[in-house]
Amino acid sequence: MAGSLACSQWCSCITFLRICWELCWTVPVNNTPEITPSSLAAKLTSNSVILTSPSCYFNGLGNLSCNSTTTCEIWLVSAKDTGVSNYDADNKMPYIDTRSPYPTAFSSNTSKKYFLTKLGLQKAYPCPIVAGTGYFRVGSDGNCSTPNCNGILPVGSTARFKYVLINPANKTVVAESLWSNNITLYSLKDPEKIDNGFAGRSAAMIVITAILCSFLALLLLLLLIMLIYVLCCRKEKQEIQVPGSVRTYDTHNLKEPSPYVNHAYEDEPQRPTATSPIRLKSYTDYDLKKPATEL
């Protein structure tokens, strides 16, 4: 009985020391997140950025409470201004994921100015890097409302980032990378403050605009000249008459009305007129065999 009690006390002591070691000591990793060098669209916007992935960051580490790639989780810390020092003060505490939830991380001057986003298990980011795991976009969830979502950053802010390895049992940080350099996001301009005069234009833009306007004026002039030429040629073609191409028809029968005589029939014998008697034949009956008598 005494041996069992001593063993239990010894195990409890080891567990306590292990927890104290996890809370007081974090394994540093000599890797620094940065903007991905890949030719991706919108690598840097006004409220998001694409970073290199944490692949190979935490490989080969020993004496960790989560000593398996299927257990340890990789998280990203996004901070601005005083958020860096606030996180450094909180990273020894358990349940680090609840210290500064995203919806209130940047809402006021008293906010801690940092938030954590879970990327996934360590095995999801193997070493060497495989296709599809070479980068991570910060802010892909937009203006979200859950405590650890991948929300957008304040517009035009200057932020810093680091990857951390967390034990999912008590959400303690067991390893972490270095802080990135300052990454300044794009600032939005008020459309009313944009100078649309010539002072806001470059010399090259003014020269190109002048050349294009000159070409347009020349094109309109050539079009006008062509239109005038076509109209003049059409008018000249309507006035030209070829000699002998137009003949006049003489309506002689209307000028001197006279009986028309067809000379082709002058030599033919005269036919009986209406005044000469006409001899008709009559038939007494319908018998065609009987001779007909003249009237």
Side-chain angles (χ1 to χ4, degrees), residues 127-144:
C127 186
I129 300 174
V130 297
T133 63
Y135 61 89
F136 178 75
R137 181 185 292 274
V138 182
S140 60
D141 290 345
N143 194 11
C144 49

Side-chain angles (χ1 to χ4, degrees), residues 264-275:
Y265 296 96
E266 288 182 354
D267 298 334
E268 291 185 0
Q270 295 183 355
R271 297 179 179 180
T273 61
T275 56

Side-chain angles (χ1 to χ4, degrees), residues 65-92:
S65 57
C66 55
N67 55 5
S68 173
T69 58
T70 59
T71 305
C72 297
E73 298 174 346
I74 298 179
W75 291 60
L76 174 72
V77 183
S78 304
K80 61 164 288 191
D81 301 334
T82 59
V84 174
S85 58
N86 289 334
Y87 167 79
D88 290 338
D90 293 343
N91 71 341
K92 302 297 188 295

Side-chain angles (χ1 to χ4, degrees), residues 190-241:
D190 187 358
E192 296 181 356
K193 295 182 179 180
I194 297 177
D195 186 9
N196 57 1
F198 285 103
R201 303 290 187 269
S202 64
M205 182 181 293
I206 296 175
V207 172
I208 293 174
T209 304
I211 294 175
L212 292 177
C213 291
S214 300
F215 280 140
L216 180 61
L218 182 61
L219 181 62
L220 292 176
L221 180 61
L222 293 176
L223 183 63
L224 181 62
I225 294 174
M226 184 177 294
L227 181 63
I228 295 174
Y229 177 77
V230 170
L231 293 176
C232 292
C233 291
R234 181 179 297 179
K235 185 175 180 180
E236 291 178 359
K237 288 182 179 179
Q238 290 179 353
E239 292 179 355
I240 295 175
Q241 293 183 358

